[in-house]
Every structure is written in C-alpha cells, then in structure tokens.
Amino acid sequence: LSGVFLLPPVPLYFIFIFFPQIIVDDDDSKVWSLYDAGPRSIRCPLIFLPPVSGTADVFFQQILALTGWGYRVIALQYPVYWDHLEFCDGFRKLLDHLQLDKVHLFGASLGGFLAQKFAEYTHKSPRVQSLILCNSFSDTSIFNQTWTANSFWLLPAFMLKKIVLGNFASGPLDPEMADGIDFMVDRLESLGQSELASRLTLNCQNSYVEPHKIRDIPVTIMDVFDQSALSTEAKEEMYKLYPNARRAHLKTGGNFPYLCRSAEVNLYIQIHLLQFHGTRYAAIDPSMVSAEELEVQKISLHTSNEQEEQ
C-alpha cells in the first residue's frame, strides 16, 4: 500500500497488541480472533466489528492512532455464526471471557448491524455503553435478499466473493480509496467459504433493530456523501431510528472510510468518546487526558444532567 497508510511514531509503551484465538462456545470450531491494544487497565474499551468482507486488521489505522493517544481498542474477527441470536450469545460469552462488563462498539456495515442487535439482546442487563455506526443499517430487508439468505451456505466461495465484490466502488478513484479497496479485496480473499456464507447470511437474514430497546444508548452515525453500498433511503431510516444521535458525515470515503479517510474517522471517534472522559466508562488512560479537558467534560455532564432533570 502507498504511503497514505503511514502514521507518525506513537509511544510504544501504550501499544500491547495480541492476536489470540479464543473459543467460548462448546463448538471448538467457533474461534474468535482479535487484536487487543492499548492500556490493559481500561475496563470499557472500544471494540471494532468488521463488515462482511473484513477481518480484524482492517482497523489497523484506528489501532495505531488511538492506542498512541492512550485508548484501549479491540478489533475482532468473529467465527462462523448462522443467526443473530447465536452471534449475540457468543459475543456475550467473549466479553465475559475478557472480563469486560461494558464496552463501546464501532461497527462497520454488517458489524454495525450486529452491534445494534447485541445492544438490543443485552438491553435488560446492558453491556453496551455506546455505539458508533459506520455505513450501517437497521433492517436487512434493504438488500432485497432475505429470501435467498438461507441458501448462501450452498454456494461456492468464488460466487460468494463475486456477490460481495459487486458492492465495491468502481470507476475512477483517488489513490487513497483505491488502496483501501485493494486492501479489502485482499482481506476478502483470505476468508473461507463458510466464513463468507455465514456473514452474508447474517447480512441478509430477515431481521431488524427494535429501537425502543436501545434508545438510551449514546449513538454516533457515521456515513459518507459519495458512493457506498447503502442507499439514501437506508441512511434516512437510520436517522429516523436514532433522532438524537450525533452525525459524523464525511464528504468522501466510500464503503471503507476507516481505511482511506482514517484521520477524519479517528477524529470523530475521539469526539464520540470524549463524553465519557473522567467516568468509569472512559476508553482512554486518564493520564493522557488534560485537567482542562476533564473540567470541560465535567461541566458538560453537569449541564446535561440538569437539563434532563428539568
């Protein structure tokens, strides 16, 4: 990849990256792979969930930058699950294994939908402190493939990859976006038939988010104004579903802004997480937050609480 993906040096004492394989289900074939980076003392980290074509390392730009600023982040690669309830149960077991009571979730496309379903699944005993939904959706019917969802497991890998590639941008692209797509194509090639089939099944299986179960969770909706796999109608539906959500719009970035517009995405992530600084749900090492910033945040929280009481 070109130099666009190079970052300034970051303090190495804040980066502790592991890539373990963890099994939390009775089925030994269901293996979670993850990068866990940043201060291990943080108990409410930011967890990244990839899209259909992605693996844990598609968020390397966020891992490098955010850990350098003192955040703890975890990028996941989920195992083969064939329905949303099964995924949510496995994800809950993974958080238990990692001894994480509550987390912030950044989900891209399918990852964003699964993040919402997990927040919905755990609403009686909340495990999700906040959501950042990047190019995501709330209803799988937008893809018009709910009737074929249960047949993906029959298709060979090359056909599944062709389905996914059909949603990638085509035509003239700037170098950063072209590099991002090349990287995602490479990641797509690394996925096996069962992994792709299960993800496409989760992506298209008839399901939707029940907003009343997660209405109290802080949400940032991140999307792009240029070409992406999401229709304008799907984006508008997300805005209606979360009327109080913060909006992080990028002029360009396509399907993978976290790769080709990483500086903007990382800034929006920091803005989202700022509201938790100085609380037990902070995803950042307190020593990396200035006293002035904490004071401003305390005033903001106090004002917000007063407004809610009125």
Side-chain angles (χ1 to χ4, degrees):
L1 297 180
S2 70
V4 69
F5 288 133
L6 297 178
L7 288 170
V10 293
L12 293 180
Y13 55 86
F14 278 114
I15 300 180
F16 304 93
I17 296 181
F18 303 87
F19 193 42
Q21 295 189 328
I22 300 173
I23 299 173
V24 295
D25 294 284
D26 294 334
D27 184 349
D28 289 347
S29 68
K30 296 188 180 300
V31 179
W32 292 81
S33 301
L34 59 92
Y35 289 99
D36 187 348
R40 303 307 292 276
S41 59
I42 300 301
R43 306 310 305 162
C44 189
L46 174 63
I47 296 182
F48 289 88
L49 300 175
V52 169
S53 57
T55 53
D57 50 2
V58 303
F59 298 111
F60 75 92
Q61 294 275 34
Q62 286 66 52
I63 294 172
L64 288 174
L66 293 172
T67 52
W69 295 319
Y71 291 89
R72 182 183 179 186
V73 298
I74 298 173
L76 294 179
Q77 185 169 323
Y78 22 85
V80 173
Y81 288 120
W82 296 100
D83 66 65
H84 304 113
L85 183 61
E86 185 186 22
F87 167 85
C88 290
D89 187 55
F91 190 29
R92 177 186 57 79
K93 291 176 182 176
L94 178 69
L95 295 185
D96 291 343
H97 176 84
L98 296 174
Q99 299 181 336
L100 299 174
D101 183 35
K102 297 191 79 173
V103 294
H104 307 281
L105 296 180
F106 179 110
S109 191
L110 170 62
F113 182 73
L114 294 176
Q116 294 171 83
K117 295 301 289 183
F118 182 71
E120 175 189 301
Y121 173 79
T122 59
H123 77 280
K124 291 185 178 179
S125 180
R127 304 297 295 270
V128 179
Q129 184 61 29
S130 74
L131 293 167
I132 305 175
L133 307 174
C134 177
N135 282 346
S136 194
F137 52 91
S138 60
D139 190 336
T140 59
S141 65
I142 64 170
F143 299 109
N144 298 317
Q145 288 189 324
T146 54
W147 61 278
T148 61
N150 292 328
S151 63
F152 284 128
W153 68 277
L154 291 167
L155 300 180
F158 80 89
M159 289 187 67
L160 297 172
K161 291 174 182 177
K162 186 176 180 180
I163 292 172
V164 176
L165 289 171
N167 292 314
F168 284 21
S170 57
L173 297 169
D174 65 53
E176 292 87 354
M177 292 183 66
D179 281 343
I181 291 175
D182 286 346
F183 186 80
M184 292 301 292
V185 170
D186 180 71
R187 296 296 81 212
L188 177 63
E189 289 296 328
S190 72
L191 297 174
Q193 190 276 344
S194 59
E195 290 176 294
L196 267 178
S198 64
R199 293 184 185 195
L200 282 169
T201 301
L202 293 176
N203 200 77
C204 300
Q205 196 174 64
N206 190 26
S207 183
Y208 58 88
V209 175
E210 299 178 57
H212 63 280
K213 293 183 178 179
I214 55 179
R215 61 188 173 193
D216 296 326
I217 297 177
V219 175
T220 290
I221 297 175
M222 184 181 300
D223 53 22
V224 299
F225 287 148
D226 62 348
Q227 181 183 358
S228 73
L230 283 186
S231 65
T232 302
E233 292 75 16
K235 295 178 183 179
E236 292 296 334
E237 188 61 33
M238 288 290 287
Y239 302 151
K240 292 177 184 177
L241 197 67
Y242 302 106
N244 299 319
R246 297 182 179 186
R247 298 188 187 181
H249 298 304
L250 292 86
K251 290 183 179 180
T252 59
N255 289 314
F256 317 117
Y258 38 89
L259 279 171
C260 59
R261 300 292 184 266
S262 61
E264 293 175 69
V265 169
N266 293 344
L267 177 60
Y268 280 129
I269 290 174
Q270 290 181 87
I271 292 171
H272 173 88
L273 294 175
L274 180 64
Q275 61 190 299
F276 305 104
H277 286 192
T279 74
R280 63 187 292 255
Y281 302 115
I284 191 172
D285 186 334
S287 66
M288 298 292 285
V289 182
S290 67
E292 294 80 4
E293 184 180 345
L294 278 177
E295 191 59 35
V296 169
Q297 183 60 19
K298 288 178 181 178
I299 294 173
S300 175
L301 287 172
H302 181 69
T303 303
S304 177
N305 291 336
E306 284 185 340
Q307 291 175 346
E308 290 179 1
E309 292 171 359
Q310 292 176 355

